[in-house]
Amino acid sequence: RYLDSHLSYQRACLHAIDYLQSFGYSDIQAYMILGAAPIEAIKIDNRAIYADKAARSLYEMSFDGGSQDYIVKQISKLATDIFAGKIRSLAVQRAPDTRVWIVLQDGTAICMVYEPTEEVLAFIPIETLGSFESVCVLPGVEQDRVYFAVTRSITAGTVRYIEKMALDSEVEPGVTCKVMDSHVVGLNSPASKTVHVGTHLTGKTVVVWAGGLPIAGSYVVNGSGNITLSDFVEEFVVGIGYTARYKSGRLAYGGNLGTAMLQKKKVAKVGFILTNFVRAGITYGSRFDDTSRPLYPLPALKDGITAPTQGTDVSEEELFTFPSEWETDARVCIEWSSPNTATMLGLVVQVETN
């Protein structure tokens, strides 16, 4: 007697689960083996996160007490484009908050901010001047430490390094500020214009934070692993600079006659709430990489007086005029560049519709 195809498949899966359990796998492990890529899954409280068979999506598995069964859902459904490079490895950081670190086969990485009880889910693509190969997380007191295996090309050829992510507290403006890739921290005693970076970055262009300030310009590391600055410095941080970008979604509010999604609109003003920032490193505009619409620095005045160049307290930047045009797809773009740093706590957008 023949069974319908759905029932046959269901029974085959159940038999496969029983078979895997006979080798010591738990039921949840068996479920994931049948529909997952050969990548070690991660456990977060009572949930499991794993990559699908194609390694192009992330799934969450949890147990539902009401139905007494496991529930699986795709949590990367709205970010499928950034997973095109295929998932290679996963690691989870629990302190100071839950962040899932994902290395892709194309050498890029993704940081997934994940707090399901607060309904927080965000994906942050990360690139470096080289390729990420793998990631692991070790527990720490203040913050879990995140380590990447990275390949880079220097004058001597292709090299591999184990690089450690800076703590959140280490990227605040102070005597040192670790906002560079593959960076080193050093001390000149006595103060000197020559800074020894190390031969691990020979031939690379680097940026510098020294004396509690970002140093303008960039420098190329010579064959001896040194760079020469224009001023004498003592404590310094030197590494490969990078750029952080934020682009808002389509601004679908501000319409007087319903949604503003397809209406002509423009961003009239914006306001920022910042902390731990260097003012000169923040630029804003309506487009990235468009010479006809350049990015602009923050206003030099705040409350009618010269604004501070950097700060560690919360700074409320009052609404100021935004360089926008009338269009259906109005956006706000913000960019930060090493060796400057910034933490944005809030963004206020004033939209006008036509």
Side-chain angles (χ1 to χ4, degrees):
R1 183 180 177 182
Y2 294 100
L3 299 173
D4 68 80
S5 58
H6 176 77
L7 185 58
S8 297
Y9 179 76
Q10 184 183 52
R11 289 191 175 181
C13 288
L14 291 174
H15 287 312
I17 291 170
D18 291 337
Y19 179 72
L20 289 170
Q21 286 181 309
S22 70
F23 287 92
Y25 291 101
S26 67
D27 49 1
I28 190 170
Q29 288 173 325
Y31 271 104
M32 288 193 292
I33 288 172
L34 292 174
I39 298 167
E40 185 176 357
I42 55 176
K43 182 179 182 296
I44 303 175
D45 299 327
N46 60 350
R47 293 173 168 84
I49 305 294
Y50 66 95
D52 74 327
K53 289 183 290 186
R56 293 178 181 271
S57 301
L58 276 184
Y59 280 79
E60 174 195 84
M61 176 181 284
S62 59
F63 186 79
D64 178 61
S67 62
Q68 291 294 299
D69 199 0
Y70 291 102
I71 297 176
V72 176
K73 65 178 181 179
Q74 182 182 349
I75 59 175
S76 60
K77 186 176 295 185
L78 300 180
T80 54
D81 55 325
I82 65 174
F83 285 91
K86 291 190 175 183
I87 300 166
R88 172 176 285 176
S89 62
L90 304 171
V92 60
Q93 173 185 1
R94 298 309 306 270
D97 47 39
T98 303
R99 306 169 190 174
V100 177
W101 297 93
I102 306 155
V103 171
L104 303 183
Q105 296 177 27
D106 63 3
T108 63
I110 299 169
C111 175
M112 182 178 82
V113 182
Y114 178 76
E115 293 288 354
T117 58
E118 303 294 333
E119 299 184 348
V120 173
L121 180 65
F123 297 93
I124 306 169
I126 304 171
E127 298 179 4
T128 188
L129 196 61
S131 297
F132 295 107
E133 290 193 329
S134 61
V135 60
C136 74
V137 177
L138 297 179
V141 177
E142 174 186 352
Q143 180 174 334
D144 293 345
R145 303 311 304 258
V146 181
Y147 296 82
F148 285 98
V150 183
T151 59
R152 300 193 185 278
S153 296
I154 61 173
T155 302
T158 300
V159 292
R160 281 184 171 84
Y161 301 133
I162 302 298
E163 301 186 7
K164 179 171 61 176
M165 295 280 285
L167 300 174
D168 291 3
S169 59
E170 294 176 326
V171 297
E172 301 172 359
V175 176
T176 60
C177 186
K178 303 176 181 179
V179 285
M180 307 90 169
D181 285 348
S182 200
H183 67 261
V184 294
V185 181
L187 174 65
N188 283 337
S189 182
S192 173
K193 292 183 179 181
T194 300
V195 171
H196 184 65
V197 180
T199 56
H200 73 293
L201 290 179
T202 54
K204 289 296 183 185
T205 300
V206 296
V207 295
V208 183
W209 180 284
L213 296 170
I215 304 300
S218 57
Y219 306 84
V220 177
V221 182
N222 63 25
S224 300
N226 296 326
I227 60 173
T228 302
L229 307 180
S230 57
D231 296 314
F232 290 87
V233 299
E234 293 182 345
E235 292 185 85
F236 60 83
V237 184
V238 183
I240 300 171
Y242 60 83
T243 297
R245 286 179 165 182
Y246 165 80
K247 183 178 182 180
S248 71
R250 294 177 68 100
L251 301 174
Y253 53 89
N256 295 323
L257 301 175
T259 178
M261 180 64 76
L262 297 180
Q263 294 185 39
K264 290 281 188 179
K265 70 181 79 65
K266 73 172 183 177
V267 178
K269 293 184 178 182
V270 296
F272 299 157
I273 303 177
L274 303 170
T275 188
N276 296 322
F277 67 95
V278 176
R279 197 174 196 81
I282 306 171
T283 54
Y284 65 94
S286 58
R287 292 287 186 276
F288 289 126
D289 304 319
D290 187 340
T291 55
S292 65
R293 297 190 184 185
L295 299 179
Y296 296 88
L298 288 181
L301 298 179
K302 178 185 175 184
D303 299 327
I305 59 175
T306 302
T309 57
Q310 64 184 55
T312 55
D313 295 329
V314 175
S315 174
E316 297 181 355
E317 304 290 319
E318 59 190 16
L319 288 168
F320 52 86
T321 303
F322 187 83
S324 183
E325 299 181 8
W326 291 102
E327 55 189 328
T328 58
D329 187 16
R331 308 266 185 147
V332 174
C333 297
I334 307 170
E335 183 175 277
W336 301 261
S337 298
S338 297
N340 303 286
T341 185
T343 299
M344 176 164 285
L345 302 178
L347 171 66
V348 178
V349 182
Q350 189 179 95
V351 177
E352 295 180 359
T353 55
N354 184 5

